[in-house]
C-alpha cells in the first residue's frame, strides 16, 4: 500500500511475523475483526514460502509486506463493516452475471464494457480494498479510503513501467473478484507477484470454498445499499473453480471467454514477469521458464476440469470467442443480453459504442511479448490444452496455421 513502505519496515523474517501483521491491521481499525480463522493456514504457509522461495530485493520485501497488509486489512475491514451493519445479508445474491475464462482472453475489456450499463453493480477497486456498503458516488472523492486506493494504484503503476498496457486498473472502476478471494489467503493471486513455489504446491491441495463464502458475504455487504441491482462480476480464476462458483451462486449466468491459449498464456506470463522484475533480483530467465510451464499446466487443467461442470450447467453458460468479441463487440454484447434476458437500452448501446471507439484499453500502449521468452512454443502450449483449441475453432480465429 502507498505509504506503508515508508511507515512500516518489512520484518527480518516473514515466517515469524504473523502476529505483527495482525497487530498492525488491528491498530489501524481499532479492534480485532478477522472473522473465521479459516484463512490462517494459508497466511502461515505464505509467510513461510516468502522466506524460502523468492529472492526479494529490499524494495520487493517492503512491497510484499504491503501486499500482505492489504489482503488482511481488506478482510478485517469487511468483518468490521459487517458488525456495524447488521442485516446486510438479508438479501441473497440473485442471478449474477459472471465473466470467466483463462486469463488474457478479453475478460477485462468485456467486463468494463458491460459495466457501462447502470443496471449493473460491480466490485470497484477501492471497495475491494476496504469492503463496506457502497456509498453514493458523489461522496467518493471525499472518502479517505477512496483517496488512499487511488494513491496506491498510481504508486503501483509508477513502480512497474509499461504494466498499464497489459492490464489497466483504476480504483473507481470495476475490478475482479480475485481481490476479495485473496482475503481468504487460499488464492492463486499470492503466486503472481513473486516466486512462491512452496505456497503454490500447498495451494494445489486446498479448496477455496471458504474464500467463496467470504466473497458471497462481501457482495451482500457492498450491495446492501442497492440489493435489487444485478451483480456483474469477473474473474479468470473462476474457471478453475466453476463447481464452487455454481455452489455459491446456483442461478449464476456465466460468460465463458475463449482464446487460443498459445496467445493467452504467453501474454499472461509477460504480465506476471513484470511483477517479478520489480520484486526480485537474479534468476530472471529461470523464473520466466518456470512461469511458462506453470501457467500452461494450471490453465490447461482448469479448462479440462471445468468442462464437466459446464456440461451440467449448459443453460447457464454462454461462450464468447476473443476474436469475435474484438471484431464485433456490440454484437457480442447483444448476444449476452439475449442470453441473460436483459434489455439493452439505446442510450446504453450508444455509451458502449463510445467506449469502444475511445479504446481506453489501448491508451497506455501495446502489450508486447514473445512465447520463446518463456522457454516454450505455441505448439507445446496448444498440445497441452488437448481438443480445446479445435472445440472452439480458436486456432483459425487466431490467424495461426495448422
Amino acid at each position: 500500500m502507498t505509504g506503508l513502505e515508508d511507515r512500516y519496515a518489512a520484518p527480518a523474517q516473514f515466517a515469524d511475523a504473523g502476529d505483527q501483521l495482525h497487530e498492525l491491521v488491528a491498530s489501524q481499525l481499532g479492534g480485532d475483526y478477522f472473522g473465521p480463522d479459516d484463512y490462517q493456514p494459508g497466511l502461515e504457509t505464505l509467510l513461510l514460502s516468502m522466506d524460502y522461495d523468492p529472492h526479494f530485493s529490499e524494495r520487493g520485501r517492503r512491497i510484499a509486506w504491503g501486499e500482505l497488509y492489504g489482503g488482511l486489512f481488506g478482510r478485517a475491514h469487511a468483518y468490521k463493516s459487517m458488525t456495524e451493519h447488521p442485516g446486510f445479508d438479508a438479501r441473497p445474491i440473485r442471478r449474477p452475471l459472471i465473466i470467466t475464462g483463462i486469463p488474457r482472453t478479453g475478460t477485462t475489456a468485456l467486463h468494463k464494457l458491460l459495466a457501462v450499463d447502470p443496471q449493473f453493480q460491480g466490485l470497484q477497486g477501492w471497495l475491494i480494498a476496504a469492503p463496506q456498503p457502497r456509498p453514493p458516488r458523489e461522496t467518493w472523492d471525499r472518502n479517505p479510503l477512496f483517496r488512499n486506493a487511488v494513491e496506491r494504484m498510481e504508486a503501483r503503476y509508477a513502480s512497474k513501467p509499461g504494466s498499464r498496457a497489459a492490464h489497466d486498473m483504476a480504483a473507481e472502476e470495476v475490478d475482479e473478484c480475485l481481490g476479495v478471494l485473496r482475503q481468504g489467503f487460499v488464492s492463486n493471486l499470492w503466486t503472481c507477484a513473486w516466486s512462491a513455489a512452496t505456497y503454490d504446491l500447498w495451494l494445489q491441495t486446498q479448496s477455496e470454498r471458504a474464500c467463496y463464502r467470504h466473497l458471497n458475504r462481501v457482495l451482500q455487504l457492498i450491495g446492501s445499499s442497492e440489493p435489487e441491482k444485478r451483480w456483474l462480476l469477473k474473474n479468470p480464476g473462476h474457471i478453475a473453480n466453476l463447481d464452487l462458483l455454481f455452489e455459491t451462486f446456483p442461478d449464476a449466468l456465466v460468460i465463458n471467454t475463449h482464446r487460443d491459449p498459445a496467445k493467452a498464456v504467453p501474454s499472461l506470463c509477460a504480465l506476471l514477469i513484470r511483477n517479478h522484475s520489480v520484486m526480485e533480483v537474479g534468476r530472471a530467465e529461470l523464473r520466466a521458464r518456470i512461469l511458462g510451464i506453470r501457467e500452461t499446466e494450471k490453465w490447461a487443467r482448469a479448462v479440462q476440469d471445468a468442462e464437466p461442470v459446464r456440461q451440467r450447467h449448459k443453460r447457464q453458460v454462454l461462450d464468447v470467442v476473443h476474436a469475435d468479441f474484438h471484431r464485433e463487440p456490440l454484437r457480442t454484447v447483444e448476444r449476452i443480453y439475449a442470453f441473460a434476458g436483459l434489455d439493452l437500452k439505446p442510450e446504453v448501446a450508444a455509451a458502449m459504442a463510445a467506449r469502444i471507439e475511445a479504446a481506453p484499453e489501448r491508451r497506455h500502449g501495446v502489450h508486447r511479448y514473445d512465447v520463446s521468452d518463456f522457454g516454450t512454443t505455441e505448439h507445446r502450449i496448444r498440445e497441452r490444452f488437448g481438443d480445446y483449441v479445435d472445440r472452439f475453432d480458436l486456432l483459425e480465429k487466431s490467424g495461426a496455421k495448422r
Side-chain angles (χ1 to χ4, degrees):
M1 296 179 71
T2 296
L4 193 72
E5 288 183 52
D6 299 326
R7 288 183 288 140
Y8 306 105
Q13 284 192 310
F14 289 109
D16 299 328
D19 289 345
Q20 180 183 346
L21 183 64
H22 284 83
E23 290 166 6
L24 179 57
V25 172
S27 70
Q28 293 299 305
L29 291 176
D32 185 338
Y33 299 99
F34 299 106
D37 64 2
D38 47 42
Y39 72 98
Q40 289 276 16
L43 176 58
E44 291 169 6
T45 305
L46 179 60
L47 288 166
L48 285 167
S49 172
M50 290 168 68
D51 281 336
Y52 185 77
D53 295 309
H55 288 187
F56 281 128
S57 65
E58 281 306 308
R59 183 161 184 246
R61 289 181 64 82
R62 295 195 301 271
I63 295 173
W65 182 240
E67 289 298 321
L68 291 177
Y69 173 88
L72 191 60
F73 178 90
R75 179 184 181 88
H77 197 283
Y79 282 101
K80 179 177 187 290
S81 190
M82 289 174 192
T83 64
E84 294 170 346
H85 297 88
F88 74 91
D89 55 353
R91 298 274 291 272
I93 306 299
R94 295 292 190 193
R95 289 175 63 80
L97 192 61
I98 304 176
I99 303 166
T100 191
I102 68 172
R104 315 305 293 169
T105 58
T107 56
T108 298
L110 179 58
H111 185 210
K112 292 189 176 182
L113 181 60
L114 294 178
V116 167
D117 192 336
Q119 74 174 294
F120 296 123
Q121 62 174 319
L123 281 170
Q124 283 79 22
W126 79 281
L127 291 173
I128 291 174
Q132 61 191 279
R134 186 184 294 103
R137 179 62 184 88
E138 62 272 14
T139 68
W140 292 6
D141 290 338
R142 302 191 300 274
N143 190 309
L145 290 169
F146 174 73
R147 294 199 302 271
N148 188 38
V150 172
E151 292 170 2
R152 288 200 314 273
M153 200 72 70
E154 291 304 317
R156 175 184 298 179
Y157 285 121
S159 71
K160 302 174 186 177
S163 58
R164 262 195 164 128
H167 187 70
D168 191 18
M169 297 182 293
E172 70 275 14
E173 291 187 345
V174 292
D175 208 338
E176 54 192 52
C177 310
L178 189 55
V180 175
L181 291 168
R182 81 163 184 163
Q183 294 167 5
F185 288 90
V186 185
S187 169
N188 73 298
L189 187 60
W190 295 113
T191 70
C192 289
W194 56 79
S195 300
T198 304
Y199 177 84
D200 195 30
L201 183 62
W202 173 86
L203 180 64
Q204 304 314 309
T205 68
Q206 305 302 308
S207 167
E208 294 186 39
R209 180 170 283 108
C211 299
Y212 275 81
R213 288 197 298 264
H214 176 67
L215 172 64
N216 181 65
R217 287 173 62 79
V218 168
L219 292 178
Q220 289 178 302
L221 174 68
I222 293 175
S224 60
S225 52
E226 295 180 290
E228 72 288 347
K229 289 192 77 170
R230 185 85 165 264
W231 274 98
L232 171 67
L233 302 170
K234 170 258 181 179
N235 179 26
H238 289 322
I239 199 64
N241 289 291
L242 208 53
D243 53 346
L244 290 178
L245 189 69
F246 280 119
E247 178 184 307
T248 307
F249 309 110
D251 58 357
L253 295 178
V254 173
I255 312 303
N256 192 174
T257 57
H258 306 278
R259 184 186 183 190
D260 179 359
K263 305 300 182 185
V265 170
S267 178
L268 172 62
C269 291
L271 176 62
L272 298 182
I273 205 67
R274 285 185 183 273
N275 293 333
H276 281 235
S277 68
V278 174
M279 303 297 293
E280 295 193 52
V281 294
R283 308 184 302 176
E285 183 177 347
L286 180 60
R287 284 187 279 109
R289 292 176 64 186
I290 289 172
L291 279 176
I293 295 169
R294 187 188 77 179
E295 297 307 312
T296 299
E297 293 298 317
K298 177 188 296 183
W299 298 108
R301 185 171 66 249
V303 166
Q304 291 158 5
D305 291 347
E307 190 55 28
V309 184
R310 282 168 41 90
Q311 293 302 316
R312 291 197 300 270
H313 296 271
K314 282 184 177 180
R315 295 185 178 180
Q316 292 173 257
V317 179
L318 178 70
D319 295 307
V320 170
V321 173
H322 180 269
D324 293 339
F325 170 55
H326 278 270
R327 184 174 57 252
E328 296 183 296
L330 278 180
R331 174 58 185 145
T332 298
V333 170
E334 289 168 357
R335 286 185 60 224
I336 291 170
Y337 275 61
F339 163 70
L342 298 171
D343 178 29
L344 180 58
K345 296 181 179 179
E347 61 271 21
V348 172
M352 289 182 176
R355 180 182 175 89
I356 293 166
E357 179 67 23
E361 284 76 24
R362 298 192 188 97
R363 68 179 180 266
H364 297 292
V366 178
H367 176 46
R368 300 190 185 281
Y369 52 91
D370 191 304
V371 66
S372 64
D373 293 339
F374 306 100
T376 187
T377 66
E378 292 187 349
H379 173 73
R380 286 169 63 185
I381 294 172
R382 292 189 188 107
E383 188 175 47
R384 181 60 185 86
F385 276 76
D387 69 348
Y388 173 69
V389 173
D390 287 333
R391 199 182 332 143
F392 293 99
D393 195 18
L394 301 176
L395 189 61
E396 291 182 357
K397 291 181 181 296
S398 75
K401 295 180 180 180
R402 291 184 181 276

